[in-house]
Amino acid sequence: MTIETRWLVYPDGERQETERLLRVDELVDMNGYPLPLPPPGDRMIAYRVFKIRRVEERGELDVLQYLDLVPAAELRALMGR
């Protein structure tokens, strides 16, 4: 039996467990929930999933979902401003 654990890995190296399985290039909020497009505003903390790595050891599978901070200018561009 394999136990799967999903993690959000923030730019500073901090990790937070999550129930969600994300996709590369998906925009998410600071809790790992998808942001609608266009985003609701440019004054928010948003991350983009840039890499997903799977690490398996002795019946445990860790899914590491690496996040990169999205600058406010890029959020403004996504809003069409």
Side-chain angles (χ1 to χ4, degrees):
M1 179 175 173
T2 302
I3 298 172
E4 182 176 313
T5 307
R6 298 174 183 137
W7 298 94
L8 300 173
V9 182
Y10 294 95
D12 63 1
E14 292 284 323
R15 292 187 346 173
Q16 175 182 326
E17 190 173 349
T18 183
E19 295 290 321
R20 301 195 41 80
L21 188 57
L22 304 174
R23 297 181 320 271
V24 172
D25 283 335
E26 188 171 8
L27 283 180
V28 297
D29 66 12
M30 56 192 308
N31 294 310
Y33 292 103
L35 289 175
L37 289 178
D42 62 344
R43 294 189 157 266
M44 62 185 313
I45 298 174
Y47 294 97
R48 173 175 283 115
V49 180
F50 74 92
K51 176 171 77 170
I52 298 174
R53 198 173 115 212
R54 299 174 185 275
V55 179
E56 190 167 357
E57 293 180 12
R58 297 188 193 117
E60 292 183 13
L61 174 63
D62 285 337
V63 180
L64 304 171
Q65 304 171 108
Y66 292 85
L67 305 177
D68 194 24
L69 188 62
V70 177
E74 189 174 334
L75 287 176
R76 266 191 300 279
L78 289 171
M79 292 174 60
R81 291 186 182 173

